Amino acid sequence: MFSRHPNTMKTPCVSLLLGVCVLLLSAPTVSAVSLSVGPNLQQFFRGSLVDLSCVDDGQTADGWTVKRTRGNLTEDCGAVPGFGGLLGSYCVVDLSAPNETFWCDSSGQQSDRVSFIVQSDTTDKGVILEIPALPVRTGSDVILRCRQRNGATVEAYFFIKGSSVGHKPEHIITNITQADEGLYWCSTNQGGTSPQSSLRVRDPPTIIHPPPPSTSTNFAPPVKTALTCRPSPPLPASNCPPPPPPPPSLLVSVLSGLVSGVLLVLVLGLILFLCSKLKGMKALTHLT
């Protein structure tokens, strides 16, 4: 005998399909908005103040909130005691505990995350390494210094990936490349050693500038492009220049969209296939 409630078979399948779509659409994405850090340092002494803000191309990003993770908790700046004080668009944070990670968030979109190291040594031997907290662009220069709690910089042995690069007041890295990534720290003759921090290196974004408008009054023959070149019998088609490739950013967007679409179709197809199998098994059960 057939079931009197044929629609009951569709309910689990429909719910599963809706759940997959919601997960795919609600997954957090990384945005162009970044977390600004002032001062741009990765190591601090306990009790130091840091200004954090969300920026987009150097301007304050409206609708974005500075957040942090502390243990298993996620908190908004200014919303809980002990986490920051709002000063305009800035979140002023008193660094008193290690293992805190900060980032910017807006409706599931997130910026890159930044972690700070808090020096817990309260003696005069305690030192920190002045190293950027934010990623450094390739081709730029970075100056590393070893600083005491009283604010004075001291001569120290600088270590890069476990190897000493000498005893000096500061260490300068010029024309940074990806090979300069790694752990850095400093050590003084008085016995003070800084924590270890990782230097992050990123390639600068690719910016395509439009050609400047021509100010010449001389008339030049038109340049043959993929749109204007039309080979005639005397002119072979090989003389026509190939069409220019699309910009890299467009290729990345197109490929990303295609991959996401293919994955979505495969997942939905698999779910529909399983649902049809389950429906067939239920029908055979009712017949028997």
Side-chain angles (χ1 to χ4, degrees):
M1 181 181 294
F2 291 95
S3 172
R4 297 181 180 179
H5 304 284
N7 291 332
T8 57
M9 189 65 58
K10 299 180 181 180
T11 302
C13 298
V14 173
S15 300
L16 186 57
L17 287 172
L18 291 177
V20 171
C21 293
V22 170
L23 287 176
L24 291 175
L25 294 175
S26 62
T29 58
V30 177
S31 171
V33 172
S34 60
L35 179 68
S36 175
V37 181
N40 182 19
L41 298 176
Q42 195 171 155
Q43 297 184 13
F44 292 91
F45 289 105
R46 185 183 298 274
S48 299
L49 298 180
V50 180
D51 295 337
L52 305 177
S53 62
C54 302
V55 297
D56 184 3
D57 195 20
Q59 303 295 324
T60 300
D62 296 331
W64 288 76
T65 304
V66 176
K67 294 193 174 187
R68 78 171 177 185
T69 55
R70 189 175 184 180
N72 295 325
L73 298 177
T74 298
E75 302 169 333
D76 293 357
C77 178
V80 294
F83 176 27
L86 295 176
L87 183 61
S89 60
Y90 291 94
C91 174
V92 182
V93 179
D94 183 353
L95 297 178
S96 57
N99 303 323
E100 293 181 339
T101 302
F102 301 85
W103 76 97
C104 293
D105 183 274
S106 176
S107 302
Q109 297 187 79
Q110 300 179 2
S111 69
D112 288 338
R113 304 194 173 205
V114 175
S115 299
F116 301 108
I117 297 177
V118 179
Q119 173 63 284
S120 58
D121 189 352
T122 58
T123 67
D124 294 337
K125 295 181 180 180
V127 292
I128 59 173
L129 176 67
E130 289 193 342
I131 185 171
L134 301 176
V136 180
R137 299 296 185 186
T138 54
S140 59
D141 301 337
V142 170
I143 301 178
L144 304 180
R145 297 186 180 92
C146 203
R147 187 175 295 277
Q148 295 176 320
R149 183 177 293 274
N150 60 10
T153 57
V154 294
E155 291 191 1
Y157 295 95
F158 291 89
F159 293 86
I160 301 175
K161 304 177 185 178
S163 300
S164 174
V165 292
H167 186 264
K168 45 191 173 180
E170 60 187 22
H171 178 67
I172 303 177
I173 311 174
T174 59
N175 194 21
I176 283 181
T177 65
Q178 295 289 342
D180 293 310
E181 285 191 333
L183 291 176
Y184 292 74
W185 70 94
C186 64
S187 179
T188 65
N189 286 330
Q190 291 75 27
T193 301
S194 74
Q196 299 182 17
S197 288
S198 178
L199 180 68
R200 296 182 295 166
V201 180
R202 298 289 185 271
D203 291 328
T206 302
I207 302 176
I208 302 177
H209 297 283
S214 176
T215 57
S216 174
T217 57
N218 297 327
F219 293 95
V223 178
K224 293 181 179 180
T225 65
L227 297 178
T228 60
C229 182
R230 295 291 184 270
S232 56
L235 179 64
S238 59
N239 290 343
C240 293
S249 59
L250 180 59
L251 286 177
V252 172
S253 301
V254 172
L255 290 178
S256 177
L258 289 176
V259 171
S260 301
V262 170
L263 290 177
L264 180 59
V265 170
L266 291 176
V267 172
L268 295 179
L270 178 60
I271 294 174
L272 291 175
F273 175 76
L274 293 176
C275 290
S276 63
K277 287 290 185 180
L278 182 61
K279 183 177 181 180
M281 294 175 61
K282 289 288 186 177
L284 290 176
T285 302
H286 288 299
L287 287 174
T288 57

